[in-house]
Amino acid sequence: MRLTVIGCAGSFPGPDSPASCYLLEADHEGRTWRILLDLGNGALGTLQRFIDPLGVDAVLLSHLHPDHCMDLCGFYVMRSYHPNGAAPPIPVWGPAGTAEQLAAAYGLEDMPGMRATFDFRRYPDAPAGQIGPFSFTATEVVHPVPAYALRVSVGEKVLTFSGDSGPCPALVEAARDADLFLAEASFREVDDNPPDLHLTGRQAGETATAAGARHLVLTHIPAWFDVDTAEDEARAAYDGPLDRARSGAVFDL
Ligand SMILES: [Zn+2]
Ligand SMILES: [Zn+2]
């Protein structure tokens, strides 16, 4: 499985990266399968540097904050009104209310909303699924809105994406023995942070250590903070291989 970081900026697009979006690719039955974890603001533009977005097989949303889902509005336009004809619907997994919230964001009636373009599926009904070679499970984590960590495997290889989450046992379990743990690090230890919202760099490191994750990649660091701070904090709590996400970075696992 190959991970390409499309967007890794936290909470809003930054000068060097769109908001949350990760491309996963794997070969299976004679072709390359492609799924997206999140499609946050700005990501659809950058995605086009790497692939034709019409070749995406499915989208998994971690939650419905705009920095994780808002470019589905642009993706809806691209798929629905393409001069070569409307593209067939693809599955979009998300929390309860995904179809309704995106319809509202675009100013569409609830029904049909975007249902002719996206085959919406809800984690509360389908917390696990299969897309070509990708198996996934979604685990609810702590955040002000329903939010999920996504654990994706191809064969023996496992990638876990925290989505947005405060520290919690569910996130540790989702990242258990992962080959790569893509963990948000939105907060800093020096600040008086609200509970159950985001991880600090240190908490990302502690979560990776508790989970036995084999490689930690820090992401979702807002442009108003220094990435060095998150990395220094995480290194103090995790002694395995550690990287910071940047737009365009590729990780093979
Ligand atoms: Zn976020
Ligand atoms: Zn969020």
Side-chain angles (χ1 to χ4, degrees):
M1 157 166 52
R2 167 169 288 192
L3 160 67
T4 302
V5 177
I6 304 300
C8 58
S11 304
F12 52 89
D16 302 316
S17 175
S20 185
C21 182
Y22 308 91
L23 168 65
L24 299 183
E25 296 173 289
D27 292 332
H28 178 63
E29 294 182 343
R31 73 169 177 95
T32 302
W33 290 69
R34 299 183 170 89
I35 65 172
L36 299 177
L37 309 184
D38 284 346
L39 193 54
N41 10 29
L44 184 62
T46 301
L47 179 65
Q48 292 168 69
R49 295 186 194 163
F50 298 92
I51 61 164
D52 176 355
L54 295 179
V56 168
D57 291 293
V59 181
L60 306 181
L61 299 176
S62 64
H63 65 299
L64 297 177
H65 279 152
D67 57 318
H68 297 260
C69 70
M70 199 45 69
D71 270 20
L72 271 172
C73 290
F75 201 25
Y76 164 76
V77 174
M78 178 189 270
R79 298 192 70 89
S80 303
Y81 301 111
H82 198 282
N84 292 346
I90 56 169
V92 173
W93 271 269
T98 297
E100 294 79 4
Q101 193 162 321
L102 285 166
Y106 198 87
L108 299 169
E109 295 296 325
D110 252 16
M111 290 302 286
M114 299 182 179
R115 287 178 178 82
T117 301
F118 300 125
D119 174 12
F120 290 105
R121 304 175 189 193
R122 301 154 26 115
Y123 296 132
D125 309 322
Q130 184 84 30
I131 307 129
F134 300 100
S135 307
F136 76 87
T137 55
T139 303
E140 190 160 7
V141 290
V142 295
H143 201 54
V145 297
Y148 296 81
L150 301 170
R151 181 181 174 95
V152 182
S153 60
V154 173
E156 300 289 294
K157 295 295 182 181
V158 174
L159 177 149
T160 295
F161 170 44
S162 64
D164 284 2
S165 176
C168 60
L171 183 56
V172 174
E173 284 316 305
R176 179 71 63 198
D177 299 324
D179 295 284
L180 191 152
F181 178 32
L182 194 51
E184 71 123 301
S186 308
F187 282 165
R188 304 182 303 180
E189 288 286 317
V190 292
D191 299 314
D192 185 16
N193 299 309
D196 299 336
L197 184 57
H198 288 300
L199 303 177
T200 64
R202 181 174 188 92
Q203 289 166 335
E206 289 169 348
T207 302
T209 297
R214 298 185 176 92
H215 183 183
L216 173 59
V217 179
L218 299 174
T219 193
H220 199 279
I221 297 162
W224 55 45
F225 287 151
D226 187 341
V227 181
D228 289 340
T229 305
E231 185 170 340
D232 291 346
E233 286 186 18
R235 282 199 191 282
Y238 176 75
D239 61 9
L242 191 157
D243 284 294
R244 50 176 76 178
R246 60 173 178 77
S247 182
V250 173
F251 298 91
D252 284 306
L253 64 160

